[in-house]
Amino acid sequence: MRREFLTGAATLAACSPIPPGAARVVSREGLADHARQSGRYFGAAVKSRLLREDRAYRAAAARECNILVQEYELKRKTAEPKPGKYDFKGADEIIDFAQQHGMRARGHTLVWYTANPTWLEPAVERAGKAEQRRLMTSYIDVAMRRYAGRISEWDVVNETLEPNQGRADGMRAENLWMKAMGEHYIDLAFHRAREVDGDATLFLGDYGLEHDSPRCERRRTAMLKLLDRLLGRGVPIDAVGVQGHLKPYREPFKQRQFADFLDTLSGYGLKLAITELDIADRGGPPNPEKRDREVAAFGKAFLDVALDNPAVESVLCWGISDQYSWLSNYPEYKWPDGQLSRGLPFDGKMARKPFWDAIAGAFDAAPPVGRRNRA
Ligand code: XIL
């Protein structure tokens, strides 16, 4: 089967929105069942508290997902609130839940510029070179050892790029690790992660790689140049996590351009995953049904490309239900009038939305993992 992508900019209108009232097959299957048909994984970022307290949420996670990631529980701020004093309670709950349900688990995230405990940055600033390295690798050691065999893939380094911070190479300058060690902090993190758990798949993750905009173009360029340097130095990166925080009402999207970018990445021999998919609907039409259809169509256009790349094995949304989405809190994405953002597959009452059908449909049309439809 050959599938041609839309050529030119995929405007929302060109994405052939799912028509109003279109018959929907009501199914008790979850998205994981759709993903499994082509050997893939669907999952979501979950919060331990919600798994504990909200039964509908827990049931949806169990039904829809065959891979899970923590929304905050393995960020260092949560897991190491005081130096060397760890709190893995929330993460343990999520990993236990994943294991009980036969799911895979990702770990998010070992080395990041943000979501660190307040003690960390001053400690790094005061430290000598060896101590700086220890301050970074100690968390890799402890977290990866604890979950060896249970967390099969890690976001080792998250969000290293920020071309707006004045560096010619597009690396984020405002980053405690960059300030301490320069770019080699990334080398150190991956080498260490490989040593600690030789079986885990090691990811470098970033955002702003998806749209047809000057912002994303600069970020894609910076990412490819960074990978050239890292892979050239033999840094053991296995995979790139394309976060997939999409904003269709802010920036256009071109299927061919995104397909080419993914092809370049997989051409390096890297595995790929969409790790944090959600769709900011701020700026869309006021009618929520119409917006839902557009969001779904946009999501389908995006996933058709992603899932046609043989290296993309999993897709995770950044949340399950609009009720708890960070899109409704984050200043850049939230609606000024306080209404819920509608960027996830389930609405605020845990009902499936057209975006759910779009994800299921994209999985159903996907070639078996490792193969492609497109010639
Ligand atoms: C977000 C969480 O969802 C929010 O609750 C928190 O306030 C900020 O972080 N990229 C990432 C995620 O890698 O960890 C972020 O998660 C969203 C952007």
Side-chain angles (χ1 to χ4, degrees), residues 47 71 75 108 112 158-159 243 245 276 318 326 330:
K47 293 187 184 181
E71 186 164 343
K75 293 174 184 172
H108 175 81
W112 199 10
N158 196 32
E159 300 182 350
Q243 291 187 356
H245 294 294
E276 304 188 12
W318 202 246
W326 80 305
Y330 197 69

Side-chain angles (χ1 to χ4, degrees), residues 58-353:
R58 190 180 166 88
R63 185 185 63 240
E64 302 292 332
C65 300
N66 55 355
I67 184 168
L68 289 184
V69 67
Q70 317 74 31
E71 186 164 343
Y72 66 87
E73 288 81 348
L74 282 177
K75 293 174 184 172
R76 195 162 176 180
K77 181 180 172 174
T78 304
E80 194 182 354
K82 301 220 172 72
K85 301 276 177 260
Y86 297 93
D87 177 1
F88 288 114
K89 193 170 163 291
D92 283 353
E93 286 178 17
I94 293 172
I95 305 308
D96 288 348
F97 181 88
Q99 281 199 295
Q100 284 157 13
H101 292 86
M103 301 174 187
R104 276 199 191 179
R106 316 188 76 242
H108 175 81
T109 179
L110 297 170
V111 178
W112 199 10
Y113 74 92
T114 188
N116 287 314
T118 48
W119 59 267
L120 183 61
E121 186 152 8
V124 171
E125 281 168 4
R126 278 194 307 269
K129 292 291 165 201
E131 175 64 2
Q132 287 179 331
R133 295 162 72 90
R134 195 198 64 79
L135 284 166
M136 191 186 78
T137 55
S138 62
Y139 186 55
I140 298 176
D141 293 351
V142 173
M144 284 190 93
R145 270 190 203 126
R146 180 179 187 88
Y147 294 111
R150 293 189 288 161
I151 286 184
S152 54
E153 51 188 74
W154 281 94
D155 287 328
V156 177
V157 179
N158 196 32
E159 300 182 350
T160 55
L161 309 174
E162 191 38 270
N164 290 333
Q165 292 183 348
R167 291 181 57 109
D169 58 10
M171 300 297 290
R172 180 182 289 273
E174 288 307 312
N175 178 333
L176 72 165
W177 307 118
M178 192 75 181
K179 287 181 190 161
M181 291 176 240
E183 175 182 303
H184 281 78
Y185 84 90
I186 305 174
D187 304 41
L188 176 61
F190 278 92
H191 281 293
R192 188 63 163 238
R194 178 65 95 227
E195 266 172 49
V196 176
D197 184 355
D199 295 326
T201 304
L202 308 182
F203 276 74
L204 175 72
D206 225 310
Y207 64 91
L209 302 168
E210 302 87 358
H211 285 278
D212 176 21
S213 62
R215 175 185 80 100
C216 289
E217 189 57 28
R218 291 175 72 195
R219 298 182 61 87
R220 282 190 292 270
T221 302
M223 175 58 97
L224 295 178
K225 289 191 170 157
L226 172 62
L227 287 168
D228 281 338
R229 298 194 297 277
L230 295 174
L231 297 174
R233 298 200 289 265
V235 177
I237 295 178
D238 300 313
V240 169
V242 175
Q243 291 187 356
H245 294 294
L246 306 178
K247 21 184 159 179
Y249 299 107
R250 295 268 184 92
E251 297 179 21
F253 175 70
K254 205 189 273 173
Q255 285 189 310
R256 172 59 60 192
Q257 179 187 54
F258 185 54
D260 288 347
F261 175 64
L262 295 185
D263 281 350
T264 307
L265 294 175
S266 56
Y268 284 166
L270 295 163
K271 293 184 186 174
L272 303 174
I274 307 301
T275 51
E276 304 188 12
L277 179 63
D278 56 20
I279 304 182
D281 66 338
R282 176 172 163 182
N287 176 314
E289 286 80 33
K290 184 166 195 295
R291 216 157 66 229
D292 282 356
R293 291 196 300 275
E294 291 188 354
V295 161
F298 188 80
K300 178 81 163 59
F302 174 81
L303 286 175
D304 280 347
V305 174
L307 295 174
D308 201 43
N309 187 298
V312 175
E313 200 178 66
S314 37
V315 175
L316 292 98
C317 283
W318 202 246
I320 296 174
S321 145
D322 293 336
Q323 190 180 352
Y324 307 119
S325 171
W326 80 305
L327 293 175
S328 297
N329 299 317
Y330 197 69
E332 193 190 334
Y333 298 124
K334 73 176 186 190
W335 284 87
D337 63 6
Q339 68 176 296
L340 278 190
S341 293
R342 304 183 61 88
L344 287 170
F346 288 83
D347 72 9
K349 298 203 164 78
M350 214 40 106
R352 287 176 177 172
K353 299 203 320 230

